[in-house]
Amino acid sequence: MSLKEVKKNNIIQNALKLFSKKGFYNTTIPDIAKAMKMSVGNMYNYFSSKEELAKFAIKYSTNILADELRAVNNMEISSKEKLFLFTKNYLKNVQDSPEVIEYFLRVYLSNREVFKDGCEGFLCVGEFVTEVMIFLDDGAQNKEFREQEFFPAFGMLMGTLGGFAFMQGENVLDKDLLEYSDSIAENIYRALKYEEE
């Protein structure tokens, strides 16, 4: 990775934290530059606008999740074991890097107008969606998951995980987030599993 790419990723990481905490519209390029200890002018050498930075940030954050799920998808274990591992990894990310999930929930989903040019639909989150599709498809091919339409299965899986990420962010859970991992995965598995008719 070049020095410029490393710097770009550092800017994205700082922007994620600020966007998650203050919101997209309340965060300025000068705020991000200050967090980076660099000039505003220098920031524009990396990103032409706050909107461009926001789009890079959603790709960056979901690609982290995509890489993790790709690693799980490539393991020689059952789809049920993959589900339990993916759930644990996802929740660990929520705990260790809350800004990544907060950004998705509070900026990307709440400010769709910012992402309309170039990030429509799944364009900016495509790698992650593809890995979820592979995961669900492999499970159905192995007859561990039932055949079903992609969107209901995707919504059930990510809706559940996103819901727990949201509850963690709101500090309403009565136990450590990772203590819920196995029961969350078990509930998702029951909704996905293949049953003889």
Side-chain angles (χ1 to χ4, degrees):
M1 193 181 292
S2 74
L3 211 56
K4 184 166 183 164
E5 285 173 330
V6 169
K7 187 76 160 178
K8 211 171 182 171
N9 285 346
N10 286 341
I11 292 168
I12 290 169
Q13 288 164 0
N14 277 283
L16 276 170
K17 287 179 179 151
L18 288 167
F19 286 149
S20 308
K21 202 179 334 180
K22 297 173 68 174
F24 177 77
Y25 290 108
N26 292 328
T27 303
T28 64
I29 289 288
D31 292 337
I32 299 164
K34 184 179 175 191
M36 288 295 301
K37 295 179 176 53
M38 62 194 288
S39 71
V40 171
N42 196 9
M43 282 285 295
Y44 287 108
N45 289 327
Y46 296 91
F47 298 98
S48 62
S49 66
K50 188 167 76 165
E51 287 72 19
E52 184 193 31
L53 177 51
K55 289 171 190 168
F56 269 89
I58 195 62
K59 287 179 191 167
Y60 174 88
S61 56
T62 54
N63 285 352
I64 291 170
L65 298 173
D67 289 344
E68 287 188 0
L69 182 51
R70 187 175 302 110
V72 170
N73 277 339
N74 289 331
M75 291 179 176
E76 295 293 325
I77 56 177
S78 71
S79 293
K80 182 178 183 178
E81 290 170 302
K82 288 178 183 182
L83 173 62
F84 275 71
L85 189 54
F86 170 61
T87 300
K88 186 166 278 168
N89 289 348
Y90 183 90
L91 296 177
K92 191 154 176 26
N93 264 317
V94 169
Q95 226 171 26
D96 296 346
S97 306
E99 68 278 359
V100 170
I101 308 297
E102 288 281 315
Y103 181 75
F104 183 80
L105 293 172
R106 297 186 193 277
V107 178
Y108 180 68
L109 294 179
S110 306
N111 301 282
R112 298 299 300 142
E113 68 284 356
V114 174
F115 299 91
K116 69 179 185 298
D117 295 324
C119 269
E120 296 84 2
F122 282 151
L123 277 177
C124 286
V125 296
E127 276 192 51
F128 177 68
V129 173
T130 299
E131 291 303 322
V132 173
M133 202 177 283
I134 290 167
F135 166 71
L136 292 169
D137 209 44
D138 285 353
Q141 296 291 319
N142 301 336
K143 296 243 184 281
E144 286 188 71
F145 298 159
R146 62 191 162 86
E147 290 281 343
Q148 61 179 306
E149 286 183 55
F150 173 68
F151 287 112
F154 179 83
M156 193 278 311
L157 172 67
M158 295 316 300
T160 302
L161 293 175
F164 270 85
F166 177 78
M167 288 189 283
Q168 169 76 6
E170 295 297 310
N171 294 315
V172 296
L173 298 174
D174 57 359
K175 293 190 285 193
D176 181 78
L177 181 63
L178 287 174
E179 289 183 47
Y180 292 100
S181 184
D182 285 351
S183 55
I184 293 168
E186 184 63 41
N187 283 330
I188 295 170
Y189 177 68
R190 285 181 193 162
L192 292 176
K193 79 176 178 174
Y194 178 83
E195 291 174 351
E196 296 281 345
E197 292 184 21

